[in-house]
């Protein structure tokens, strides 16, 4: 029992310990314990958990880095444009942006870009340090999002704006050409993580959006837990790509095989001018032309006939109608027989029929006719002239091309947020674009890693989490009781069973010893008698 209690206390103590990575240094702390009975549960000591915020500093090769810790939007451009084909009242990009700390910030001093307005169009963008050219190095873009007040319907995705001669950030709208669109989006119960890129047709020069397949992972938690999440997109020169949330891959694939519509069109297409011949027979079955209707087939036989075996129930009142005129009804005073006709009392069920099996003329019930066959039709047989389902012939696709390097996308030189949302206070932070994975991970650890450590430090201990979970799901109390009671019962049974077995063995040994002693005395006594 002592060993078990010690193990339990050690487990509780270990669960009260937390280790987090803060500014690339591993820091571990354990909660204290009270001396009374309630002290068996960990107590959080805020003074022992303090995370000091330090703005991340970009290191290594990068094209864009923004932590908003300067507290201004000096390097960003607010769009003053209007959406086309939209009512003037809602066409303006007049949604408000602010640089501020999170509502429930665990890191004082950490600021980010906040979308402040509901049901408004928002557009803001910033230039890169230099254009990103898709050559021999990967593209890595990452940023943080926190849906502080939840999200009803709206997006939090970014657009990498294509490098074009007429790019004007002041006129940034939904139709501004972009190279990649990436990030979370949600409406109703549809949780999305977009990865869309615009592919240029090498034959026509036209652009077409290509969408990555939907992730298999469940994304719901990232939109509902009100925590800061890190979204990362990695596109490699070998055409492979990865979508990560909190540095965990939630979707991956290849640009050549996992985009919709496909990058490359089919080499052959159906001939639009081909027509099905008039005598083409697509019927797999036909009626047997040699079949004849049997002589005894009666098509006029009814489906149902009266049951000749039925007998009228005893007590049936043939002379009593089912309904009679209401004897209590009175003609209304304003009834005009010239206008309304002769007044008749309304019909009510005949009270004489209530105790009888029925009233009125008795009729036999109907039953299915055993001789009914219906209209005769010839049986179906295999069509000897069946030619299959007709399809147009294949011809070479005049629009065919083969792009084996879709990674070589249109260069981009700006990043923007063009959003409409029914929720406000969406928090963005720590945008970073690079072509080096190590550099991106370092930025993530210095930024998002610090937030994660602070949020983890503020979480309740194991006991508090268990109690909170039980409040939401009362059936967990049964699990808790069984988890605690079952080991105790086993310990008691083991200890008690062991004690009884020992006593029984001792008693049995003592009995054997007494028996042997009695035998010795009897032998000695008999010897003396002899």
């Amino acid at each position: 029992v002592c060993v078990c209690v010690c193990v339990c206390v050690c487990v509780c103590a270990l669960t009260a310990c937390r280790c987090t990575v803060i500014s690339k240094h591993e820091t571990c702390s354990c909660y204290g314990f009270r001396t009374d009975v309630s002290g068996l549960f960990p107590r959080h000591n805020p003074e022992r958990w303090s995370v000091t915020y330090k703005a991340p500093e970009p290191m290594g090769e990068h094209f864009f880095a923004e932590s908003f810790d300067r507290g201004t939007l000096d390097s960003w451009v607010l769009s003053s444009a209007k959406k086309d084909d939209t009512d003037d009242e809602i066409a303006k990009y007049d949604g408000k942006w602010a640089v501020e700390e999170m509502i429930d910030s665990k890191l004082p001093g950490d600021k980010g870009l906040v979308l402040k307005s509901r049901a408004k169009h928002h557009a803001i963008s910033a230039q890169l340090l230099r254009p990103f050219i898709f050559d021999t190095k990967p593209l890595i873009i990452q940023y943080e999002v926190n849906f502080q007040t939840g999200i009803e319907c709206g997006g939090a995705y970014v657009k990498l704006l294509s490098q074009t001669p007429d790019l004007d950030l002041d006129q940034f709208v939904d139709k501004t050409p972009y190279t990649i669109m990436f990030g979370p989006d949600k409406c109703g119960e549809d949780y999305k993580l977009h990865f869309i890129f615009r592919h240029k047709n090498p034959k026509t020069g036209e652009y077409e959006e290509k969408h990555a397949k939907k992730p298999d992972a469940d994304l719901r938690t990232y939109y509902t837990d009100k925590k800061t999440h890190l979204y990362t997109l990695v596109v490699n020169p070998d055409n492979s790509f990865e979508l990560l949330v909190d540095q965990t891959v939630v979707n991956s694939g290849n640009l050549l095989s996992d985009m919709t519509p496909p990058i490359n069109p089919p080499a052959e297409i159906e001939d639009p001018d081909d027509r099905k011949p008039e005598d083409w027979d697509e019927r797999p079955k036909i009626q047997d032309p040699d079949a004849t209707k049997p002589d005894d087939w009666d098509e006029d036989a009814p489906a149902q006939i009266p049951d000749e075996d039925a007998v009228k129930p005893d007590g049936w009142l043939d002379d009593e109608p089912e309904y009679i005129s209401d004897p209590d009804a009175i003609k209304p005073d304003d009834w005009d027989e010239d206008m309304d006709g002769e007044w008749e009392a309304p019909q009510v069920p005949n009270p004489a029929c209530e105790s009888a099996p029925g009233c009125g003329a008795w009729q036999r019930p109907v039953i299915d006719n055993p001789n009914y066959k219906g209209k005769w039709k010839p049986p179906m047989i295999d069509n000897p002239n069946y030619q299959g389902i007709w399809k147009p012939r294949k011809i070479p696709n005049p629009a065919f091309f083969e792009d084996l390097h879709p990674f070589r996308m249109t260069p981009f030189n700006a990043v923007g947020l063009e959003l409409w949302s029914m929720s406000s206070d969406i928090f963005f932070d720590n945008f970073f674009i690079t072509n080096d994975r190590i550099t991106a991970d370092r930025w993530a650890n210095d930024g998002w890693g610090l937030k994660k450590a602070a949020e983890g430090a503020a979480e309740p201990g194991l006991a508090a989490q268990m109690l909170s979970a039980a409040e939401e799901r009362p059936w967990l109390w049964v699990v808790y009781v069984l988890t605690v009671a079952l080991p105790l019962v086993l310990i008691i049974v083991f200890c008690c069973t062991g004690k009884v077995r020992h006593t029984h063995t001792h008693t049995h040994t003592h009995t054997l010893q007494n028996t042997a002693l009695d035998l010795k005395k009897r032998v000695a006594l008999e010897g003396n008698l002899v």
Side-chain angles (χ1 to χ4, degrees):
V1 173
C2 293
V3 172
C4 292
V5 171
C6 291
V7 170
C8 292
V9 172
C10 290
V11 170
C12 291
L14 289 174
T15 54
C17 298
R18 301 225 179 143
C19 297
T20 55
V21 177
I22 300 179
S23 298
K24 299 175 290 184
H25 297 287
E26 187 177 19
T27 303
C28 298
S29 295
C30 295
Y31 301 161
F33 285 83
R34 293 188 179 95
T35 55
D36 56 3
V37 176
S38 61
L40 291 175
F41 294 95
R43 177 183 60 181
H44 178 250
N45 185 358
E47 296 180 357
R48 300 181 64 181
W49 268 98
S50 60
V51 180
T52 303
Y53 176 69
K54 179 182 179 183
E57 297 180 1
M59 301 172 61
E61 181 79 8
H62 67 280
F63 296 79
F64 187 79
E66 177 62 85
S67 64
F68 300 101
D69 291 315
R70 298 189 307 274
T72 66
L73 291 172
D74 292 343
S75 58
W76 292 77
V77 179
L78 295 172
S79 177
S80 59
K82 293 183 179 180
K83 291 190 66 148
D84 293 336
D85 305 324
T86 308
D87 294 339
D88 290 340
E89 296 180 357
I90 60 174
K92 294 181 179 179
Y93 283 91
D94 55 356
K96 303 300 181 184
W97 298 92
V99 176
E100 59 188 27
E101 295 184 15
M102 280 191 288
I103 297 173
D104 186 20
S105 177
K106 306 297 189 299
L107 279 175
D110 179 22
K111 297 178 180 179
L113 177 66
V114 181
L115 182 148
K116 300 295 292 183
S117 308
R118 295 181 69 254
K120 293 280 188 179
H121 292 291
H122 302 74
I124 190 171
S125 55
Q127 289 280 353
L128 271 59
L129 298 176
R130 61 190 180 282
F132 186 94
I133 308 244
F134 293 87
D135 46 25
T136 60
K137 293 184 178 181
L139 164 68
I140 300 110
I141 174 172
Q142 62 186 24
Y143 66 105
E144 302 166 15
V145 178
N146 187 313
F147 297 108
Q148 300 183 89
T149 59
I151 179 72
E152 297 177 17
C153 185
Y157 44 80
V158 298
K159 291 183 176 180
L160 305 181
L161 305 182
S162 302
Q163 184 182 20
T164 59
D166 55 349
L167 177 60
D168 183 1
L169 300 186
D170 181 67
Q171 296 298 308
F172 176 33
V173 293
D174 58 327
K175 296 182 180 179
T176 299
Y178 67 88
T179 299
I180 287 177
M181 189 177 101
F182 164 67
D185 189 14
K186 183 247 182 186
C187 200
E189 291 300 311
D190 189 10
Y191 301 86
K192 298 179 180 178
L193 181 57
H194 291 297
F195 167 39
I196 306 170
F197 82 95
R198 296 172 70 244
H199 178 258
K200 184 178 180 180
N201 187 314
K203 295 192 71 171
T204 64
E206 297 179 352
Y207 285 87
E208 185 179 30
E209 289 185 351
K210 308 294 184 179
H211 296 246
K213 63 181 181 181
K214 189 174 182 179
D216 294 330
D218 185 4
L219 306 176
R220 183 189 305 267
T221 303
Y222 306 128
Y223 298 81
T224 59
D225 62 4
K226 298 182 181 180
K227 293 183 179 181
T228 304
H229 295 288
L230 177 69
Y231 295 89
T232 306
L233 170 66
V234 180
V235 187
N236 297 303
D238 63 357
N239 299 320
S240 63
F241 66 85
E242 290 181 329
L243 282 69
L244 301 92
V245 181
D246 299 344
Q247 298 182 321
T248 299
V249 175
V250 296
N251 195 7
S252 62
N254 191 285
L255 299 178
L256 287 172
S257 57
D258 298 300
M259 306 300 289
T260 303
I263 300 296
N264 296 310
E268 290 184 326
I269 61 171
E270 293 181 347
D271 185 356
D273 298 325
D274 194 13
R275 297 291 181 268
K276 182 175 70 172
E278 294 182 0
D279 59 348
W280 189 277
D281 196 340
E282 293 183 331
R283 300 172 300 165
K285 298 280 187 179
I286 60 171
Q287 291 182 348
D288 186 356
D290 299 327
T292 57
K293 184 175 71 172
D295 295 336
D296 60 348
W297 191 284
D298 186 3
E299 293 184 343
D300 298 327
Q304 290 185 320
I305 58 175
D307 185 3
E308 298 298 335
D309 297 330
V311 179
K312 182 172 67 175
D314 294 336
W316 188 277
L317 305 178
D318 295 87
D319 299 329
E320 290 286 344
E322 289 187 65
Y323 292 91
I324 62 173
S325 298
D326 186 357
D328 298 328
I330 300 174
K331 183 175 70 173
D333 295 336
D334 58 350
W335 187 272
D336 188 346
E337 292 191 355
D338 294 334
M339 297 291 295
D340 303 324
E342 183 180 357
W343 181 82
E344 294 180 357
Q347 298 288 301
V348 296
N350 188 347
C353 300
E354 293 181 358
S355 58
C359 291
W362 180 78
Q363 294 181 349
R364 296 179 184 277
V366 295
I367 59 174
D368 293 336
N369 185 356
N371 298 320
Y372 174 74
K373 297 182 179 180
K375 187 174 179 61
W376 181 82
K377 294 180 181 179
M380 303 298 289
I381 61 172
D382 291 336
N383 183 0
N385 299 319
Y386 176 64
Q387 296 173 272
I389 303 299
W390 182 85
K391 293 181 180 180
R393 63 174 175 266
K394 296 284 188 177
I395 61 173
N397 185 358
F400 174 73
F401 63 84
E402 189 175 35
D403 181 2
L404 299 179
H405 306 285
F407 170 77
R408 299 172 185 170
M409 305 177 194
T410 304
F412 63 90
N413 63 342
V415 59
L417 298 168
E418 188 270 318
L419 306 170
W420 182 91
S421 177
M422 288 300 296
S423 302
S424 60
D425 295 309
I426 302 177
F427 183 89
F428 300 86
D429 201 6
N430 294 329
F431 289 88
F432 197 69
I433 299 175
T434 181
N435 57 14
D436 182 71
R437 193 70 176 264
I438 297 176
T439 301
D441 289 342
R442 183 186 298 115
W443 174 271
N445 289 334
D446 291 350
W448 173 76
L450 201 61
K451 282 190 181 71
K452 183 181 180 182
E455 291 176 352
E459 290 180 354
L462 178 63
Q465 293 182 34
M466 293 173 65
L467 293 175
S468 177
E471 291 177 359
E472 297 179 4
R473 295 174 288 274
W475 56 267
L476 283 175
W477 285 112
V478 178
V479 178
Y480 296 163
V481 170
L482 290 176
T483 304
V484 174
L486 185 60
L488 291 177
V489 171
L490 292 175
I491 291 172
I492 293 172
V493 170
F494 175 79
C495 293
C496 294
T497 304
K499 184 175 181 180
V500 171
R501 183 180 296 129
H502 177 73
T503 304
H504 175 72
T505 304
H506 177 73
T507 304
H508 180 65
T509 304
H510 181 70
T511 302
L512 291 175
Q513 290 176 348
N514 290 340
T515 302
L517 184 60
D518 291 341
L519 289 173
K520 289 181 179 180
K521 290 181 178 180
R522 182 175 296 176
V523 170
L525 180 60
E526 291 177 354
N528 292 333
L529 291 175
V530 172

